Amino acid sequence: MRYFMILSYKGTNYHGWQIQPNAPSVQAELERVLSTILRTPTPVTGAGRTDTGVHARNYAAHFDCVAELGDTEKFRYHLNAMLPGDIAIHRIRRVRDDAHARFDASEREYTYYMCSEKEPFSRETSWQYSGKLNIAAMNEAAAHLLDFDDFTTFAKLNSANKTNICRVTHAGWRQEGSRTVFTIRANRFLRNMVRAITGTLVEVGRGKMTPEKFRDILAARDLSLAGSSAPAQGLFLTAVRYPEEIFIDDAPIGRPH
């Protein structure tokens, strides 16, 4: 029987989601605890990779077990009791046996946080950037992302992507007090794509690049033209959404907390 977990994690202490040799990962922690509770090796498949230091607020992963869990809330309680404090399970849902956390995802959402003031409590969860930014120009440039589907310009080299085609459905900046926030949604993302886009859009905000130049860079499909990637600590995966028919229970999933 297959179950989806909705979880969040602070990525500061992990080398990303995926299991790494001789390095801590979120996937490894989940598999360790699940295998202990279920008393059998239990692989976990996630919705996608997140890089070292990147966080997640609504991540999805699936695992299989031979028998029905029964009280999923009680099972969730035991999972959380054994997991480190920087990983939390929010919900467990029964799904069809062929449901897949990665391949069935219809949309993913990332949010990037920048902070214009020195804040000791957000150093590990935002890019503390004191320079003045032109939000209107950044939004004008970000709107061009919806006009393209080939994101080779923002694809990390040697990532073994089968395709660099993605469909971006939303990309926009907003100001929230001292925080500057970028949200982007797409059917899929390439490795390091959001950080590369964010860093290049910041160049637009600084006046180092025009929105029209940003569009030209997108069209060129040349990684060397992109700006520097934004630091990892400001990036959060904030939602993964799925077609409701894959779930056996009737509670909605994939909405940000």
Side-chain angles (χ1 to χ4, degrees):
M1 296 183 178
R2 181 160 292 183
Y3 289 86
F4 268 32
M5 297 182 291
I6 303 303
L7 61 139
S8 60
Y9 55 84
K10 184 181 178 185
T12 306
N13 295 325
Y14 300 100
H15 286 242
W17 158 264
Q18 190 171 13
I19 290 177
Q20 304 288 332
N22 304 314
S25 71
V26 179
Q27 184 183 25
E29 286 297 319
L30 286 169
E31 291 191 1
R32 175 185 64 83
V33 172
L34 276 168
S35 298
T36 300
I37 294 176
L38 294 173
R39 300 181 181 181
T40 186
T42 306
V44 177
T45 300
R49 298 176 62 167
T50 55
D51 291 336
T52 299
V54 174
H55 318 288
R57 187 167 289 127
N58 278 272
Y59 191 87
H62 76 249
F63 66 95
D64 295 328
C65 51
V66 295
E68 192 169 353
L69 291 179
D71 188 343
T72 55
E73 277 300 296
K74 183 177 180 180
F75 187 80
R76 183 178 74 91
Y77 171 83
H78 289 302
L79 277 176
N80 280 328
M82 295 181 65
L83 284 166
D86 49 12
I87 302 174
I89 309 299
H90 301 299
R91 170 174 281 173
I92 297 175
R93 290 188 67 183
R94 175 82 186 281
V95 295
R96 294 189 327 224
D97 289 344
D98 62 348
H100 198 285
R102 178 183 175 190
F103 299 129
D104 283 332
S106 57
E107 183 180 67
R108 295 166 172 86
E109 176 186 281
Y110 280 90
T111 303
Y112 196 94
Y113 296 94
M114 301 177 68
C115 188
S116 61
E117 296 181 2
K118 185 177 181 180
E119 291 185 359
F121 303 111
S122 67
R123 288 182 60 204
E124 295 177 335
T125 54
S126 68
W127 179 9
Q128 297 197 350
Y129 182 92
S130 58
K132 188 175 178 61
L133 295 172
N134 184 334
I135 302 298
M138 293 160 76
N139 273 325
E140 183 180 344
H144 294 309
L145 293 166
L146 279 66
D147 297 332
F148 290 82
D149 58 10
D150 189 326
F151 287 89
T152 300
T153 294
F154 300 114
K156 194 177 184 70
L157 290 175
N158 304 316
S159 293
N161 297 319
K162 292 182 178 179
T163 175
N164 291 333
I165 301 300
C166 307
R167 187 179 69 255
V168 175
T169 55
H170 171 83
W173 293 83
R174 65 185 185 276
Q175 197 70 41
E176 297 179 350
S178 63
R179 295 201 308 178
T180 305
V181 183
F182 176 56
T183 301
I184 183 168
R185 303 186 193 107
N187 64 324
R188 64 189 291 266
F189 289 94
L190 308 174
R191 187 178 180 189
N192 199 58
M193 174 177 162
V194 179
R195 290 171 57 198
I197 287 173
T198 303
T200 309
L201 287 172
V202 167
E203 291 294 287
V204 176
R206 294 174 60 204
K208 302 294 185 180
M209 182 187 301
T210 65
E212 292 76 18
K213 179 62 175 178
F214 180 84
R215 184 183 179 92
D216 291 342
I217 288 173
L218 260 170
R221 294 180 290 181
D222 183 348
L223 177 61
S224 68
L225 299 176
S228 299
S229 293
Q233 73 268 17
L235 184 60
F236 285 72
L237 189 155
T238 43
V240 187
R241 299 188 174 96
Y242 297 90
E244 198 58 33
E245 56 265 24
I246 72 171
F247 298 98
I248 291 177
D249 59 24
D250 59 0
I253 199 170
R255 300 298 179 190
H257 293 295

